[in-house]
Amino acid sequence: MVAGRPVVITRPVKQGVLFQQRLSQAGLTGVLFPLLEIAELPDKTALLASLARLDSYAMVAFVSPNAIDHYVAHVQSWPKQVDIAVMGAGGVAALQAYGGKLQGVRIISPTNALKTDSETLLEELDLQRLAEKRVLIVRGQSGREFLADALRNHAVLVDQLPAYVRSEPVFDAQRQQQLQELLRQQAIWVITSSEALRTLHSWIGLLDEDIIVANMQRQQIVVPHQRIAETAQQLGFHSITLTGSGDEQLLVALQSQI
């Protein structure tokens, strides 16, 4: 616990378990409370078809570790001339699981460990070299358009490919009870997506108890990006800690509160 309070991990289960292990190694205890679920596409026709033309791309950009897991797993051997771009340390770590397929492949990611997102990735790209060439962006079924729009503005030919389905978990009786307990304990919530934060806010509203809603305002939210911090403010959260990007920065912020 941090100062006797639970650290709530709201990521999808796979990433949540990994971060829980990181917390344990740092002497902290995390509670899994996923606010997003990740599932396979119901129809992989387009995804599998893209593998046949993978070598026609100058670069493939993955928006998240989930995008990596749901695409690279289907690749037999990655073409060495096709660069890979990822948003940050989480993406680099996810690629390590497929190292045997990626020998000799150039991996591009933001060099500023304190800020890793589409904007900082764009700063690392050789946009003149990519002009008039094809780039594939692998993502969920929806997401930000910043990177695709920015690349197109530099004459890059962009394809976007959904690789997985992101959804809100079912807010069943067990989750309702767990949420009420966490709210009463004034937990520290690690929120790494605005979508997850909106789900939390929605679920709290469904509890329909004045004491629970009041407790919401006293929850501490730890976020790694300004956009998420702004969303938290808009939704009525009062105690918001903005860290640098990446798990290391989140851990430093949590440890500082012991």
Side-chain angles (χ1 to χ4, degrees):
M1 304 289 178
V2 175
R5 300 159 66 187
V7 177
V8 186
I9 304 164
T10 61
R11 293 172 174 173
V13 172
K14 181 177 179 180
Q15 285 77 36
V17 169
L18 293 174
F19 189 62
Q20 188 180 43
Q21 293 170 353
R22 294 288 304 276
L23 286 175
S24 178
Q25 292 167 1
L28 306 175
T29 301
V31 177
L32 291 176
F33 191 71
L35 292 172
L36 287 174
E37 288 185 347
I38 302 298
E40 299 278 348
L41 291 172
D43 182 355
K44 297 189 183 68
T45 302
L47 187 153
L48 297 176
S50 77
L51 300 177
R53 56 180 184 274
L54 179 56
D55 60 1
S56 69
Y57 291 103
M59 183 182 78
V60 177
F62 294 100
V63 303
S64 68
N66 287 308
I68 292 168
D69 287 340
H70 286 82
Y71 189 84
V72 181
H74 298 287
V75 177
Q76 295 300 315
S77 180
W78 195 274
K80 289 182 174 58
Q81 76 276 15
V82 181
D83 294 344
I84 293 177
V86 296
M87 304 299 170
V92 174
L95 288 172
Q96 291 175 354
Y98 305 97
K101 301 179 180 183
L102 306 177
Q103 292 293 328
V105 178
R106 182 182 180 219
I107 297 174
I108 307 165
S109 65
T111 53
N112 180 0
L114 298 179
K115 189 173 187 296
T116 57
D117 56 16
S118 298
E119 287 85 347
T120 48
L121 174 62
L122 190 69
E123 296 172 2
E124 305 292 334
L125 301 180
D126 185 343
L127 296 173
Q128 288 187 335
R129 185 183 71 83
L130 292 173
E132 307 300 334
K133 295 182 180 178
R134 302 204 72 83
V135 165
L136 176 66
I137 299 176
V138 183
R139 51 184 267 178
Q141 286 189 311
S142 62
R144 294 182 72 211
E145 297 294 330
F146 172 83
L147 183 60
D149 290 344
L151 289 172
R152 290 181 179 123
N153 287 339
H154 287 84
V156 180
L157 307 175
V158 178
D159 293 335
Q160 297 197 82
L161 178 72
Y164 59 93
V165 178
R166 188 174 57 241
S167 63
E168 178 182 318
V170 176
F171 192 40
D172 56 20
Q174 180 179 353
R175 285 193 176 94
Q176 292 176 33
Q177 181 178 357
Q178 186 181 9
L179 176 56
Q180 292 187 55
E181 292 173 354
L182 292 170
L183 290 173
R184 290 191 177 100
Q185 294 174 61
Q186 297 183 25
I188 296 178
W189 298 78
V190 177
I191 308 282
T192 52
S193 121
S194 294
E195 184 177 356
L197 188 57
R198 285 189 286 268
T199 294
L200 175 62
H201 182 263
S202 172
W203 285 5
I204 292 172
L206 292 174
L207 295 177
D208 196 28
E209 294 184 25
D210 290 343
I211 187 172
I212 296 298
V213 174
N215 278 337
M216 179 201 79
Q217 297 178 346
R218 292 195 291 272
Q219 305 303 303
Q220 184 167 350
I221 307 294
V222 179
V223 303
H225 199 283
Q226 182 63 39
R227 284 195 312 275
I228 309 174
E230 291 170 357
T231 301
Q233 291 174 333
Q234 293 165 5
L235 294 177
F237 293 97
H238 294 173
S239 181
I240 305 164
T241 299
L242 175 62
T243 75
S245 300
D247 288 355
E248 291 297 334
Q249 300 303 315
L250 287 169
L251 286 168
V252 168
L254 291 168
Q255 288 175 309
S256 71
Q257 299 172 56
I258 294 177

